[in-house]
Amino acid sequence: MISEAQVQWAIDILLDRDCAGSKARAAHDYMQDMDKVVLAKLMHEAPSDLKTASARESWARMHPQYMTHLEEKKAIAEMDYKARDRRSAASAIIEAWRTEQSNARMAGKVG
């Protein structure tokens, strides 16, 4: 049986008063958009002896600044997916509670 505390937790998550889920999603989207920007800047800074675009891109992808960007992107993605998972769990709790309430009403009519 779903407790009142569980229902309240689910409602609080779904209401998202501090917009944590929205902020995590926006940050994740932003970091994905920044992939090309960081890569392009680093490719522009590549040593002049790298003549081909693929050589400059390889250099940029191995650059510590790009690796740092990827680590930051990973951390933000984890926050986003955690927020999504919490919303999914909250929705499942609400749906289970609604089913329990409906079953209880039906049991009252039958009994």
Side-chain angles (χ1 to χ4, degrees):
M1 186 130 173
I2 307 294
S3 71
E4 287 294 320
Q6 289 172 311
V7 172
Q8 188 57 53
W9 175 84
I11 290 170
D12 290 343
I13 293 300
L14 293 173
L15 287 176
D16 194 18
R17 289 182 180 96
D18 60 354
C19 300
S22 301
K23 289 176 183 176
R25 180 74 180 263
H28 186 199
D29 290 347
Y30 175 79
M31 288 301 277
Q32 285 181 314
D33 291 343
M34 288 301 294
D35 283 350
K36 291 180 182 178
V37 173
V38 172
L39 194 60
K41 284 181 180 180
L42 289 171
M43 286 176 68
H44 183 70
E45 296 171 6
S48 59
D49 63 329
L50 299 175
K51 301 295 182 194
T52 66
S54 64
R56 288 192 302 275
E57 183 175 344
S58 293
W59 180 87
R61 287 185 183 276
M62 293 186 309
H63 194 279
Q65 185 177 347
Y66 190 71
M67 298 302 232
T68 299
H69 167 75
L70 291 178
E71 287 298 318
E72 291 170 354
K73 180 180 166 184
K74 177 185 171 191
I76 288 171
E78 287 173 357
M79 290 177 8
D80 179 25
Y81 291 124
K82 182 178 179 180
R84 291 183 198 194
D85 289 347
R86 287 170 52 96
R87 287 187 63 82
S88 292
S91 292
I93 288 171
I94 295 297
E95 286 305 311
W97 177 81
R98 290 179 65 201
T99 300
E100 283 181 356
Q101 297 302 306
S102 176
N103 291 344
R105 283 192 303 275
M106 291 304 290
K109 288 181 181 179
V110 173

Coordinates of all heavy atoms in Angstrom, one line a residue, residues 8-45:
Q8 N 3.1 12.2 -1.0 CA 3.6 13.6 -0.8 C 5.0 13.8 -1.4 O 5.2 14.8 -2.1 CB 3.6 14.0 0.7 CG 3.9 15.5 0.9 CD 2.9 16.3 0.2 OE1 1.7 16.2 0.4 NE2 3.3 17.3 -0.6
W9 N 5.8 12.8 -1.3 CA 7.2 12.9 -1.9 C 7.0 12.9 -3.4 O 7.7 13.8 -4.1 CB 8.0 11.6 -1.5 CG 9.3 11.6 -2.2 CD1 10.5 12.2 -1.9 CD2 9.6 10.9 -3.5 NE1 11.5 11.9 -2.8 CE2 10.9 11.1 -3.8 CE3 8.8 10.1 -4.3 CZ2 11.5 10.5 -4.9 CZ3 9.4 9.5 -5.4 CH2 10.8 9.8 -5.7
A10 N 6.1 12.1 -4.0 CA 5.9 12.1 -5.4 C 5.4 13.4 -5.9 O 5.8 13.9 -6.9 CB 5.0 10.9 -5.8
I11 N 4.4 14.0 -5.2 CA 3.9 15.3 -5.6 C 4.9 16.3 -5.5 O 5.0 17.2 -6.4 CB 2.7 15.6 -4.7 CG1 1.5 14.7 -5.0 CG2 2.3 17.1 -4.8 CD1 0.3 14.8 -4.0
D12 N 5.8 16.3 -4.5 CA 6.8 17.3 -4.4 C 7.8 17.2 -5.6 O 8.2 18.2 -6.1 CB 7.6 17.2 -3.1 CG 6.8 17.6 -1.9 OD1 5.7 18.3 -2.0 OD2 7.1 17.2 -0.7
I13 N 8.2 16.0 -5.9 CA 9.1 15.8 -7.0 C 8.4 16.3 -8.3 O 9.1 17.0 -9.1 CB 9.4 14.3 -7.2 CG1 10.3 13.8 -6.0 CG2 10.2 14.0 -8.5 CD1 11.6 14.5 -5.8
L14 N 7.2 16.0 -8.6 CA 6.5 16.4 -9.8 C 6.3 17.9 -9.9 O 6.3 18.4 -11.0 CB 5.2 15.6 -10.0 CG 5.4 14.1 -10.2 CD1 4.0 13.4 -10.2 CD2 6.1 13.8 -11.5
L15 N 6.0 18.5 -8.7 CA 5.9 19.9 -8.7 C 7.2 20.7 -9.1 O 7.2 21.7 -9.7 CB 5.3 20.4 -7.4 CG 3.8 20.1 -7.1 CD1 3.4 20.5 -5.7 CD2 2.9 20.7 -8.2
D16 N 8.3 20.1 -8.6 CA 9.6 20.6 -8.9 C 9.7 22.1 -8.6 O 10.0 22.9 -9.5 CB 10.0 20.3 -10.3 CG 11.5 20.5 -10.6 OD1 12.3 20.6 -9.7 OD2 11.8 20.6 -11.8
R17 N 9.4 22.5 -7.4 CA 9.3 23.9 -7.1 C 10.6 24.7 -7.3 O 10.6 25.9 -7.7 CB 8.9 24.1 -5.6 CG 7.4 23.7 -5.4 CD 7.0 23.9 -3.9 NE 5.7 23.5 -3.7 CZ 5.3 22.3 -3.3 NH1 6.1 21.4 -3.0 NH2 4.0 22.1 -3.1
D18 N 11.7 24.1 -7.1 CA 13.0 24.8 -7.3 C 13.6 24.6 -8.7 O 14.6 25.0 -9.0 CB 14.1 24.3 -6.3 CG 14.4 22.8 -6.4 OD1 13.7 22.1 -7.1 OD2 15.3 22.4 -5.7
C19 N 12.8 23.9 -9.6 CA 13.1 23.7 -11.0 C 14.4 22.9 -11.2 O 15.1 23.1 -12.2 CB 13.2 25.1 -11.7 SG 11.7 26.0 -11.7
A20 N 14.7 22.1 -10.3 CA 16.0 21.3 -10.3 C 16.0 20.4 -11.6 O 17.0 20.3 -12.3 CB 16.1 20.4 -9.1
G21 N 14.9 19.8 -11.9 CA 14.8 18.9 -13.1 C 15.0 19.7 -14.4 O 15.7 19.3 -15.3
S22 N 14.3 20.9 -14.4 CA 14.5 21.7 -15.6 C 15.9 22.3 -15.8 O 16.4 22.3 -16.9 CB 13.5 22.9 -15.5 OG 12.2 22.4 -15.4
K23 N 16.5 22.7 -14.7 CA 17.8 23.2 -14.7 C 18.8 22.1 -15.1 O 19.7 22.4 -15.9 CB 18.2 23.8 -13.4 CG 17.5 25.1 -13.0 CD 17.8 25.6 -11.6 CE 17.0 26.8 -11.3 NZ 17.2 27.2 -9.9
A24 N 18.6 20.9 -14.6 CA 19.5 19.8 -15.0 C 19.4 19.5 -16.5 O 20.4 19.3 -17.2 CB 19.2 18.6 -14.2
R25 N 18.2 19.5 -17.0 CA 17.9 19.2 -18.4 C 18.6 20.3 -19.3 O 19.2 20.0 -20.3 CB 16.4 19.1 -18.7 CG 16.1 18.8 -20.1 CD 16.4 17.4 -20.5 NE 16.0 17.0 -21.8 CZ 14.9 16.5 -22.2 NH1 14.0 16.1 -21.3 NH2 14.6 16.2 -23.4
A26 N 18.4 21.5 -18.9 CA 18.9 22.7 -19.7 C 20.4 22.6 -19.7 O 21.1 22.9 -20.7 CB 18.4 24.0 -19.1
A27 N 21.0 22.3 -18.5 CA 22.5 22.3 -18.4 C 23.0 21.1 -19.3 O 24.0 21.3 -20.0 CB 22.9 22.1 -17.0
H28 N 22.3 20.0 -19.3 CA 22.7 18.9 -20.1 C 22.7 19.3 -21.6 O 23.6 19.0 -22.4 CB 21.8 17.7 -19.8 CG 22.3 16.4 -20.5 ND1 21.4 15.4 -20.7 CD2 23.4 16.0 -21.1 CE1 22.0 14.4 -21.3 NE2 23.3 14.8 -21.6
D29 N 21.6 19.9 -22.0 CA 21.4 20.3 -23.4 C 22.5 21.3 -23.8 O 23.1 21.2 -24.9 CB 20.1 20.9 -23.7 CG 18.9 19.9 -23.6 OD1 19.2 18.6 -23.7 OD2 17.8 20.3 -23.6
Y30 N 22.8 22.2 -22.9 CA 23.8 23.2 -23.1 C 25.2 22.6 -23.3 O 25.9 22.9 -24.3 CB 23.9 24.2 -22.0 CG 25.0 25.2 -22.1 CD1 24.9 26.3 -22.9 CD2 26.1 25.1 -21.3 CE1 25.9 27.3 -23.0 CE2 27.2 26.0 -21.4 CZ 27.0 27.1 -22.3 OH 28.0 28.0 -22.4
M31 N 25.5 21.6 -22.5 CA 26.8 21.0 -22.6 C 26.9 20.2 -23.9 O 28.0 20.1 -24.5 CB 27.1 20.1 -21.4 CG 27.4 20.9 -20.1 SD 28.8 22.0 -20.2 CE 30.1 20.8 -19.9
Q32 N 25.8 19.6 -24.3 CA 25.9 18.9 -25.6 C 26.1 19.9 -26.8 O 26.9 19.6 -27.7 CB 24.6 18.2 -25.8 CG 24.5 16.9 -25.0 CD 23.2 16.2 -25.3 OE1 22.1 16.8 -25.3 NE2 23.3 14.9 -25.4
D33 N 25.5 21.1 -26.7 CA 25.7 22.1 -27.7 C 27.2 22.6 -27.7 O 27.7 23.0 -28.7 CB 24.8 23.3 -27.5 CG 23.3 22.9 -27.8 OD1 23.1 21.8 -28.5 OD2 22.4 23.6 -27.4
M34 N 27.8 22.6 -26.5 CA 29.1 23.1 -26.4 C 30.2 22.2 -26.9 O 31.3 22.6 -27.1 CB 29.4 23.5 -24.9 CG 28.7 24.7 -24.4 SD 29.1 26.2 -25.3 CE 30.8 26.4 -24.9
D35 N 29.9 20.9 -27.1 CA 30.8 20.0 -27.7 C 31.5 20.6 -28.9 O 32.8 20.6 -29.0 CB 30.2 18.7 -28.1 CG 29.8 17.8 -26.9 OD1 30.3 18.1 -25.8 OD2 29.1 16.8 -27.1
K36 N 30.7 21.0 -29.9 CA 31.3 21.5 -31.1 C 32.1 22.8 -30.9 O 33.1 23.0 -31.6 CB 30.2 21.7 -32.2 CG 29.6 20.3 -32.6 CD 28.5 20.6 -33.6 CE 27.9 19.2 -34.1 NZ 26.8 19.4 -35.0
V37 N 31.6 23.6 -30.0 CA 32.3 24.9 -29.8 C 33.7 24.7 -29.2 O 34.6 25.2 -29.7 CB 31.4 25.8 -28.8 CG1 32.2 27.0 -28.4 CG2 30.1 26.1 -29.5
V38 N 33.7 23.8 -28.2 CA 35.0 23.5 -27.5 C 35.9 22.9 -28.6 O 37.1 23.2 -28.7 CB 34.8 22.6 -26.3 CG1 36.2 22.2 -25.7 CG2 34.0 23.4 -25.2
L39 N 35.4 21.9 -29.3 CA 36.2 21.2 -30.3 C 36.7 22.2 -31.4 O 37.9 22.2 -31.8 CB 35.4 20.1 -30.9 CG 36.2 19.1 -31.7 CD1 37.2 18.4 -30.9 CD2 35.2 18.0 -32.3
A40 N 35.9 23.1 -31.8 CA 36.3 24.0 -32.9 C 37.4 25.0 -32.4 O 38.3 25.3 -33.1 CB 35.1 24.8 -33.4
K41 N 37.2 25.5 -31.2 CA 38.2 26.4 -30.6 C 39.6 25.7 -30.5 O 40.6 26.2 -30.8 CB 37.8 26.9 -29.2 CG 36.7 28.0 -29.3 CD 36.3 28.4 -27.9 CE 35.3 29.5 -27.9 NZ 34.9 30.0 -26.6
L42 N 39.5 24.5 -30.0 CA 40.8 23.7 -29.9 C 41.4 23.4 -31.2 O 42.6 23.4 -31.4 CB 40.6 22.4 -29.0 CG 40.3 22.7 -27.6 CD1 39.9 21.4 -26.9 CD2 41.5 23.3 -26.9
M43 N 40.6 23.1 -32.2 CA 41.1 22.8 -33.5 C 41.8 24.0 -34.1 O 42.8 23.9 -34.8 CB 40.0 22.3 -34.5 CG 39.6 20.9 -34.2 SD 38.2 20.3 -35.2 CE 38.9 20.3 -36.8
H44 N 41.2 25.2 -33.8 CA 41.8 26.4 -34.3 C 43.2 26.7 -33.6 O 44.0 27.3 -34.2 CB 40.8 27.6 -34.0 CG 41.3 28.9 -34.5 ND1 41.4 29.2 -35.9 CD2 41.7 30.0 -33.9 CE1 41.9 30.4 -36.0 NE2 42.1 30.9 -34.8
E45 N 43.3 26.2 -32.4 CA 44.5 26.4 -31.6 C 45.6 25.3 -31.9 O 46.7 25.4 -31.3 CB 44.2 26.5 -30.1 CG 43.4 27.6 -29.7 CD 42.9 27.5 -28.2 OE1 43.4 26.6 -27.5 OE2 42.1 28.4 -27.8

